[in-house]
Amino acid sequence: MIEKSMTIGELLEKYPDKADILLEAGMHCLGCPASQAESLEEACEVHGIDVSDLLEKLNA
C-alpha cells in the first residue's frame, strides 16, 4: 500500500508501474534528484495536487 509519507524514490522503486499516474497528475520531475527524497505529500503540496485523491488512484 502506498502512503503519503513514502518518498517518490521509494514509491517508484517499489511500484515503477505507478509512474504514469504521477505523470498524469502533473508530476513531471520524477527524474530530478531532489524529487527522489521528497515524500509524496511534499511533492503534492509543491504541485498543488490533492494527496488524498492521488493516493486513491495509486492504491486502486
Side-chain angles (χ1 to χ4, degrees), residues 39-59:
S39 71
L40 182 60
E41 184 174 34
E42 291 168 334
C44 283
E45 286 177 15
V46 169
H47 293 284
I49 299 167
D50 185 299
V51 70
S52 298
D53 289 344
L54 185 57
L55 281 171
E56 280 185 40
K57 291 176 185 173
L58 290 168
N59 286 312

Side-chain angles (χ1 to χ4, degrees), residues 3-13 19 22-23 26-47 49 54:
E3 299 179 3
K4 64 183 179 181
S5 60
M6 291 178 79
T7 66
I8 298 296
E10 181 182 13
L11 190 160
L12 292 174
E13 184 177 314
L22 296 175
L23 290 169
M27 292 186 188
H28 300 285
C29 58
L30 298 179
C32 299
S35 74
Q36 299 300 299
E38 266 185 330
S39 71
L40 182 60
E41 184 174 34
E42 291 168 334
C44 283
E45 286 177 15
V46 169
H47 293 284
I49 299 167
L54 185 57

